[in-house]
């Protein structure tokens, strides 16, 4: 029985140790994170080694879709729309496939990025963008496959592929000027409704100057309109905190109606509860006698 227990413990220990052993991948994972202007670009891919092999036309056949690396799909992520020549790639994450040729490559941005390698069934409808780029032959050998972002300016950069004595460069532009102009317009035109709302909410929750909080919440509502039930809700809470229950009830009623219209039952119930509470306080407040 003792031998059986020892054997079982030994096997269990070996299994646990085996599960913890990590070995390096022959094609290690690489991540490229690059800001171009105000746009974030991220590339995830694996880097196979040349290892004295003939690459393009042999290991990677010509005119066949290639996973563009090794192991799981290579992925290209952009935070904004990216412009390749006359074509625009929308912001998002894409599988990056290529079809190497002797003189040019086709580059595919494929919307399904969850596949391992090339899809079993290629779906042209999932191709968000297809590009063609010329092949450049170089004298120096690139040992490990490389994808990079190079030649970076505030408005543009190059998507670079290199392996063995082949490199392919795909220029692209990013909407830096558009984003800068939008930021300038936003700042110069003054705070937004959300800015006023955030400031008012902070002052209310942290027991700061309630008169300022009320002023900011009022401006937030004026900009957004009475459909912004969450902003009206905050304004009513500030009014109640300042003891003006009649105004708080009026504002909460508007918030409730807007929440009902929007289908937000949580805010409807919150406003109903507050209105009931504040009505009781109004009724309990002694009425001032009229002067004779």
């Amino acid at each position: 029985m003792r031998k059986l227990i020892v054997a079982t413990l030994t096997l269990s220990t070996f299994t646990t140790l085996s599960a913890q052993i990590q070995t390096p991948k022959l094609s290690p994972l690489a991540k490229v994170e690059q800001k171009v202007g105000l746009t974030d670009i991220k590339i995830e891919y694996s880097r196979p080694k040349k290892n004295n092999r003939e690459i393009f036309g042999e290991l990677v056949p010509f005119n066949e879709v290639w996973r563009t690396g090794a192991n799981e799909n290579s992925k290209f992520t952009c935070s904004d729309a990216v412009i390749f020549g006359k074509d625009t790639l929308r912001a998002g994450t894409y599988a990056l496939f290529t079809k190497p040729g002797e003189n040019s490559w086709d580059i595919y941005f494929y919307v399904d990025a969850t596949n391992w390698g090339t899809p079993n069934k290629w779906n042209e409808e999932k191709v968000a963008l297809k590009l063609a780029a010329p092949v450049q032959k170089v004298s120096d050998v690139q040992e490990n496959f490389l994808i990079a972002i190079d030649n970076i300016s505030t408005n543009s950069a190059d998507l670079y592929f290199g392996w063995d004595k082949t490199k392919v460069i795909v220029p692209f532009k990013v909407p830096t000027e558009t984003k800068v102009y939008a930021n300038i317009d936003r700042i110069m035109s003054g705070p937004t409704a959300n800015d006023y709302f955030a400031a008012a909410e902070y002052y209310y929750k942290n027991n700061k100057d309630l008169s300022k909080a009320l002023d900011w919440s009022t401006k937030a509502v004026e900009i957004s309109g009475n459909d912004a039930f969450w902003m009206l809700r905050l304004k009513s809470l500030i009014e109640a905190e300042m003891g003006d229950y009649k105004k708080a009830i009026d504002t909460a009623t508007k918030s409730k109606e807007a929440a009902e219209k929007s289908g937000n039952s949580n805010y409807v119930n919150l406003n109903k509860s507050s209105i009931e509470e504040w009505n009781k306080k109004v009724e309990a407040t002694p009425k001032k006698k009229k002067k004779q």
Side-chain angles (χ1 to χ4, degrees):
M1 181 66 179
R2 184 175 179 276
K3 289 183 179 179
L4 178 59
I5 293 172
V6 172
T8 302
L9 288 172
T10 302
L11 178 60
S12 175
T13 303
F14 176 77
T15 303
T16 302
L17 288 172
S18 297
Q20 293 175 345
I21 293 173
Q22 293 184 342
T23 58
K25 290 184 178 181
L26 294 177
S27 301
L29 179 66
K31 292 183 180 180
V32 178
E33 294 187 2
Q34 181 64 58
K35 185 176 284 291
V36 182
L38 297 174
T39 300
D40 294 314
I41 305 290
K42 182 169 72 171
I43 302 170
E44 300 169 88
Y45 71 109
S46 294
R47 302 190 64 192
K49 192 173 182 179
K50 173 177 167 59
N51 201 22
N52 295 318
R53 297 174 293 183
E54 187 69 24
I55 302 301
F56 296 108
E58 294 292 335
L59 180 65
V60 179
F62 285 136
N63 303 316
E64 292 184 15
V65 175
W66 177 40
R67 72 177 69 187
T68 317
N71 304 324
E72 58 265 39
N73 281 352
S74 296
K75 296 185 182 73
F76 180 93
T77 301
C78 49
S79 61
D80 299 306
V82 174
I83 303 165
F84 293 91
K86 295 181 180 179
D87 298 308
T88 300
L89 180 70
R90 295 173 63 181
T93 297
Y94 303 90
L96 191 56
F97 296 117
T98 53
K99 185 186 287 184
E102 291 187 66
N103 300 310
S104 68
W105 283 21
D106 288 336
I107 296 111
Y108 302 89
F109 295 89
Y110 201 76
V111 295
D112 183 0
T114 61
N115 198 62
W116 181 283
T118 55
N120 291 327
K121 186 176 180 181
W122 186 263
N123 187 345
E124 284 293 335
E125 293 182 356
K126 293 184 177 181
V127 178
L129 184 63
K130 176 185 175 183
L131 305 168
V135 167
Q136 299 181 37
K137 296 295 184 181
V138 295
S139 56
D140 294 332
V141 172
Q142 172 69 47
E143 185 63 34
N144 284 86
F145 176 58
L146 176 67
I147 305 178
I149 303 294
D150 200 10
N151 192 27
I152 302 162
S153 74
T154 56
N155 297 297
S156 63
D158 291 340
L159 176 60
Y160 176 96
F161 302 90
W163 200 12
D164 198 1
K165 293 185 177 182
T166 294
K167 70 177 182 180
V168 173
I169 296 174
V170 189
F172 65 87
K173 294 181 180 180
V174 291
T176 303
E177 288 188 357
T178 301
K179 295 189 73 172
V180 169
Y181 292 155
N183 286 336
I184 291 172
D185 288 342
R186 186 182 71 82
I187 297 300
M188 293 305 180
S189 62
T192 65
N194 286 333
D195 293 330
Y196 281 122
F197 175 77
E201 186 177 46
Y202 178 82
Y203 265 48
Y204 169 71
K205 288 185 176 180
N206 290 278
N207 298 315
K208 302 294 183 182
D209 188 335
L210 289 179
S211 61
K212 283 187 177 180
L214 180 58
D215 181 50
W216 290 332
S217 66
T218 301
K219 288 178 179 177
V221 171
E222 287 174 352
I223 294 171
S224 292
N226 284 339
D227 287 336
F229 54 86
W230 62 97
M231 293 183 179
L232 284 162
R233 169 70 181 166
L234 176 62
K235 184 183 177 185
S236 71
L237 292 172
I238 296 170
E239 288 169 336
E241 190 67 21
M242 294 177 74
D244 195 341
Y245 297 112
K246 288 185 178 180
K247 283 187 177 180
I249 291 168
D250 181 60
T251 305
T253 301
K254 292 176 182 177
S255 176
K256 180 175 72 69
E257 290 171 353
E260 287 172 344
K261 184 179 177 181
S262 182
N264 192 305
S265 59
N266 183 43
Y267 271 81
V268 170
N269 293 330
L270 286 171
N271 282 302
K272 279 184 177 178
S273 178
S274 294
I275 290 168
E276 289 176 6
E277 178 188 345
W278 297 336
N279 268 320
K280 291 177 182 177
K281 291 186 177 183
V282 170
E283 291 171 0
T285 302
K287 294 182 180 180
K288 293 181 180 180
K289 292 182 179 180
K290 293 182 179 179
K291 292 182 179 181
Q292 298 292 330

